[in-house]
Amino acid sequence: MKNNIRGLRKAMKISQEELAKRSNVSRQTINAIENNKYDPTLNLAFTIAYLLNTNVDDLFQFEIKENKRR
Amino acid sequence: MKNNIRGLRKAMKISQEELAKRSNVSRQTINAIENNKYDPTLNLAFTIAYLLNTNVDDLFQFEIKENKRR
DNA sequence: ATAAAATGTAAAACATATTTGACATTTTTC
DNA sequence: GAAAAATGTCAAATATGTTTTACATTTTAT
C-alpha cells in the first residue's frame, strides 16, 4: 500500500511534527507511514486524508491481491 | 466508524463466511466489523470495499473528531 | 559554516486487530 | 417443526500499529 502523504503534506508546507499533532499521533507514526513501514489504522487514514483535504481512496494506492480461494 | 458492509453483502446475497473467504480473513472478523466491535485494518477495508464493488470512503462513515491542539 | 529545524531510526511497552476453536442462538429451508 | 445454514459471542494466542525516549543524520535558514 503506497500513499502520497509526503507530497500533499509538503504542498501544504507543514512538517511531519505538525501533521502528527493535528492527527493526534506521534511524529514517528507519520514518519513510518510516509516511509511505508506499515499502514495506518483506518481511523488514522481517514484523519490524515481529511487534514490533507483529500480522501482515503485517493490518498492511498491499494493494489488488489487476487485470492487463491480456499 | 460505521459501515454498510452488511447491507451491501446482503444485496450481493453472500454470507459472512463467503465474504470472509473472499477477503482472506476469518468469519469472526467480518462479523465483528459488521457489528462495529472494531475497525478493520486499512488493507482489509480496501479489500472489502473492492469485493463489494464500492470504495473505502463510501463504505465507511468516518466522523471527524476535532482536535484540542497540544 | 554554523545553528536550528526536520527527518530517520531503534527498542521496549502498550493498544488494537485477527485467528482459531468452540458453542449458543437465530434465520432459512424443506 | 425439524434440519441446516447463518450469525453472535468468548477466550487465548498471535500479529500489527502506536507511543515514548533517545540519538543520529539531513535539510533549511542565517
Side-chain angles (χ1 to χ4, degrees), chain A residues 18 21-22 57 67 69, chain B residues 18 22 57 67 69:
Chain A
E18 179 61 21
K21 279 179 184 161
R22 296 186 190 181
D57 290 288
N67 178 4
R69 197 67 168 296
Chain B
E18 179 60 22
R22 296 186 190 181
D57 290 288
N67 178 2
R69 197 68 167 297

Side-chain angles (χ1 to χ4, degrees), chain A residues 15-46:
Chain A
S15 64
Q16 292 182 344
E17 171 93 38
E18 179 61 21
L19 181 57
K21 279 179 184 161
R22 296 186 190 181
S23 308
N24 281 321
V25 294
S26 70
R27 177 180 66 82
Q28 287 81 342
T29 294
I30 298 295
N31 184 73
I33 294 166
E34 282 193 358
N35 288 299
N36 292 297
K37 300 296 176 57
Y38 49 72
D39 294 327
T41 58
L42 186 56
N43 242 286
L44 182 52
F46 268 101

Side-chain angles (χ1 to χ4, degrees), chain B residues 4-60:
Chain B
N4 191 29
I5 294 175
R6 179 159 298 167
L8 296 179
R9 175 177 62 76
K10 289 198 166 175
M12 193 171 274
K13 294 195 181 303
I14 61 175
S15 65
Q16 292 181 346
E17 170 94 37
E18 179 60 22
L19 180 56
K21 278 179 184 161
R22 296 186 190 181
S23 307
N24 282 322
V25 294
S26 70
R27 177 180 65 81
Q28 287 83 338
T29 294
I30 297 296
N31 183 74
I33 294 166
E34 282 193 357
N35 289 297
N36 291 297
K37 300 296 176 59
Y38 49 72
D39 294 326
T41 58
L42 187 57
N43 242 287
L44 182 52
F46 268 101
T47 299
I48 294 175
Y50 169 76
L51 291 170
L52 295 178
N53 300 309
T54 184
N55 51 60
V56 172
D57 290 288
D58 286 341
L59 188 55
F60 296 88

